[in-house]
Amino acid sequence: MAKVTDDGTVMAIQANYYWVRLDQCPQIPLLCTRRTRLKKMGQKVMVGDRVKVELPGSLLPLPKQGPATVNINHLAEGDLGAIAKCYPRQSVLDRPPVANADHICLVFSLADPPLDEWQLSRFLVQAEATGLSLTLCFNKQDLVDQTAIATWQGRLQAWGYDPVLVSVQGRRGIEDLSHCLANKISIMAGPSGVGKSSLTNALVPGVEQRVKQVSGKLRKGRHTTRHVELFPLPNGGLLADTPGFNQPDLVIPAAQLIQLFPEARRRLATQSCFFKDCLHQGEPDCAVGSDWERYEHYLTFLAEAQANQTPENQRESDIGAKTKMGSHGQAYVEPKLETKKYRRPSRRQTHQDLQEFCGEDGMEQLREDLETF
């Protein structure tokens, strides 16, 4: 008897089990395991993956016209499906680990915790590097006055972004944000404490994500979301609430970094630099120039990208150097420390040193003395 199968989307992962939303029955996710052959093949299953699922025996197709559908009412307690195949991915993100996403919703708060322009710029550059469409959302607009809001809107428009302003407490801007997320697989990312879980609760009815208050002393967010999970949106699409992290890594080639700044990208679209390998650090006839607000951010991130070059491209004297971040997000290179070598020399090296000291005749005599001894 042929096995009953259906395609679906992995919504969440817990230990070695996977919650899959079936195409024919999206109301209730099915708990699944992974076939052993996928593990032997080294096939990793991620949240967002499109998979083929072998259904448990209780889920028989319903006899009706058109394609067979699964009867979810027959699901018995303890029934498990099995992921038999993982379809090719359209996109893959490592942090957060999500497959097939096509949109990033980057969430920051205007206050509590306060907005840090260096941190915001760093997140924007990393989001641009994914190649996915991007929506910038400013939460907690009820905690600041209109003057501060207008100031940030003007600055962000100069950067190349038009942020969506929301307030979970006042239920303002939720509909605008929901419209931006419709019919997309979106990742909600940003620092801890900016209100990502609260926004998810407001956007997805019936979801009760755990939330925490911002730290009173440090004014920093606290981690509440511990794993990645997809939630179906009422107007179509899926939303991933992800764990917050305050310092995204910029693993970006130095030559490509300038393209991740929209304000610089606009300038390069209309004119070219004199040098083809221009890194826009004050070179003659540079099309980008330095008269834009985030130019200092660009130089700092460029230094970090150059310091994070691969070991095969590093100079031998720089291999022990470490890249660290300053208090305002600036990168600097800590030189390696010169330490004494306490490693014992090899036997070959010892033999060569003796041979140079004693000569061939002396070595022959030394061998005879050792044999006699």
Side-chain angles (χ1 to χ4, degrees):
M1 180 178 178
K3 295 180 179 179
V4 180
T5 63
D6 190 16
D7 291 343
T9 303
V10 178
M11 304 294 285
I13 300 176
Q14 294 179 352
N16 293 324
Y17 294 92
Y18 308 86
W19 289 101
V20 180
R21 185 181 188 227
L22 301 176
D23 292 350
Q24 296 185 28
C25 187
Q27 297 86 0
I28 303 177
L30 178 66
L31 187 61
C32 299
T33 59
R34 180 179 55 163
R35 286 296 183 203
T36 305
R37 69 172 179 271
L38 293 182
K39 184 176 182 180
K40 292 181 178 179
M41 293 167 53
Q43 177 65 66
K44 182 181 178 181
V45 180
M46 301 175 62
V47 172
D49 269 332
R50 293 287 298 167
V51 294
K52 175 178 283 188
V53 178
E54 295 177 356
L55 303 179
S58 58
L59 296 183
L60 300 177
L62 291 174
K64 61 186 297 184
Q65 295 180 355
T69 58
V70 176
N71 187 1
I72 197 66
N73 295 323
H74 290 176
L75 184 62
E77 185 176 356
D79 281 348
L80 294 175
I83 296 177
K85 180 179 180 180
C86 186
Y87 293 108
R89 297 161 179 157
Q90 301 300 317
S91 63
V92 179
L93 297 181
D94 295 327
R95 187 182 185 190
V98 180
N100 297 319
D102 49 23
H103 181 241
I104 293 179
C105 179
L106 192 58
V107 181
F108 270 75
S109 63
L110 289 168
D112 197 31
L115 185 56
D116 182 350
E117 65 177 41
W118 280 90
Q119 186 184 50
L120 172 60
S121 185
R122 190 179 184 89
F123 266 90
L124 287 170
V125 169
Q126 184 60 40
E128 292 279 357
T130 65
L132 306 180
S133 61
L134 172 63
T135 295
L136 178 59
C137 174
F138 277 169
N139 191 17
K140 306 182 183 181
Q141 65 161 320
D142 55 304
L143 300 181
V144 296
D145 56 31
Q146 291 299 319
T147 302
I149 293 176
T151 300
W152 270 112
Q153 282 181 313
R155 292 181 66 182
L156 266 296
Q157 287 174 358
W159 292 11
Y161 301 97
D162 188 14
V164 178
L165 300 174
V166 300
S167 172
V168 176
Q169 298 297 329
R171 298 290 301 181
R172 289 185 289 176
I174 301 298
E175 291 297 328
D176 295 335
L177 181 59
S178 178
H179 179 73
C180 296
L181 303 177
N183 301 315
K184 301 173 184 176
I185 300 179
S186 303
I187 298 174
M188 186 173 287
S192 302
V194 297
K196 298 187 299 297
S197 296
S198 298
L199 272 176
T200 301
N201 294 340
L203 291 165
V204 186
V207 173
E208 296 183 359
Q209 289 287 83
R210 193 162 57 96
V211 298
K212 282 185 179 180
Q213 297 293 327
V214 173
S215 170
K217 292 183 178 180
L218 301 178
R219 309 312 301 165
K220 292 184 178 180
R222 298 171 177 173
H223 297 290
T224 55
T225 303
R226 300 298 180 182
H227 63 279
V228 180
E229 183 174 355
L230 289 175
F231 300 99
L233 294 167
N235 55 354
L238 299 172
L239 176 64
D241 184 14
T242 64
F245 50 94
N246 295 323
Q247 194 71 24
D249 298 325
L250 295 180
V251 187
I252 301 167
Q256 300 176 13
L257 180 63
I258 195 64
Q259 294 295 332
L260 306 181
F261 291 80
E263 62 270 53
R265 198 163 58 224
R266 287 197 299 262
R267 299 188 179 192
L268 290 173
T270 57
Q271 55 183 329
S272 301
C273 297
F274 180 80
F275 298 105
K276 291 184 178 181
D277 58 348
C278 181
L279 289 178
H280 321 290
Q281 301 179 94
E283 293 90 337
D285 296 327
C286 176
V288 175
S290 60
D291 57 337
W292 44 293
E293 183 182 357
R294 287 202 295 169
Y295 183 65
E296 185 180 355
H297 297 188
Y298 167 72
L299 293 180
T300 300
F301 298 157
L302 178 65
E304 182 178 347
Q306 292 172 327
N308 289 336
Q309 60 187 340
T310 55
E312 54 267 22
N313 295 330
Q314 287 182 324
R315 296 176 301 171
E316 183 179 355
S317 60
D318 292 337
I319 290 178
K322 295 181 179 179
T323 303
K324 293 191 174 182
M325 300 303 301
S327 58
H328 295 288
Q330 298 95 329
Y332 66 94
V333 178
E334 182 181 87
K336 74 174 181 179
L337 300 176
E338 295 293 337
T339 58
K340 295 176 66 176
K341 295 183 179 180
Y342 295 98
R343 187 176 180 180
R344 188 170 60 183
S346 65
R347 293 182 179 179
R348 176 180 295 180
Q349 184 63 46
T350 303
H351 180 78
Q352 291 176 351
D353 293 343
L354 283 172
Q355 190 171 13
E356 292 177 0
F357 180 76
C358 300
E360 290 294 335
D361 295 338
M363 287 295 294
E364 192 66 30
Q365 183 63 41
L366 181 60
R367 293 192 191 96
E368 295 179 358
D369 294 341
L370 289 173
E371 291 175 359
T372 304
F373 180 76

